[in-house]
């Protein structure tokens, strides 16, 4: 993840929001904060979410479907 941030593939905020990775002010992963954030993210899941999130553009490309039938376990 840190390499993806360095290569500008993902922002620090995107790493936090989408992957649950917390980066400190020096640019290193804060493992304790990352573990805590991921535990919080897991606790907020309902179990009804698709297994694979195809992103916000999928509904437009699919003609309105929010996810594919194969995305739900």
């Amino acid at each position: 993840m840190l390499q993806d941030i360095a290569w500008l593939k993902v922002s620090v905020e995107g790493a936090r929001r989408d992957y649950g990775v917390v980066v400190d002010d020096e640019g290193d992963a804060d493992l304790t904060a990352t573990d805590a954030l991921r535990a919080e993210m897991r606790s907020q899941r309902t179990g009804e979410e698709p297994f694979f999130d195809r992103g916000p553009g999928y509904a437009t490309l699919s003609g309105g479907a929010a996810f594919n039938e194969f995305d739900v376990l």
Side-chain angles (χ1 to χ4, degrees), residues 4 7 26 31 55:
D4 289 342
W7 288 349
E26 289 80 39
L31 300 181

Side-chain angles (χ1 to χ4, degrees), residues 42-62:
R42 279 191 298 275
S43 74
Q44 294 175 1
R45 293 183 190 149
T46 65
E48 299 298 317
E49 299 87 357
F51 177 74
F52 185 78
D53 183 351
R54 295 179 183 269
Y58 184 75
T60 301
L61 295 172
S62 70

Side-chain angles (χ1 to χ4, degrees), residues 7-37:
W7 288 349
L8 304 177
K9 292 181 177 182
V10 66
S11 67
V12 171
E13 179 53 38
R16 181 183 189 90
R17 179 189 63 240
D18 299 333
Y19 301 100
V21 175
V22 179
V23 179
D24 65 22
D25 293 336
E26 289 80 39
D28 298 317
D30 182 331
L31 300 181
T32 302
T34 293
D35 287 344
L37 177 59

Side-chain angles (χ1 to χ4, degrees), residues 50-54 58 67-73:
F51 177 74
F52 185 78
D53 183 351
R54 295 179 183 269
Y58 184 75
F67 53 88
N68 185 291
E69 65 182 286
F70 300 108
D71 295 342
V72 179
L73 292 178

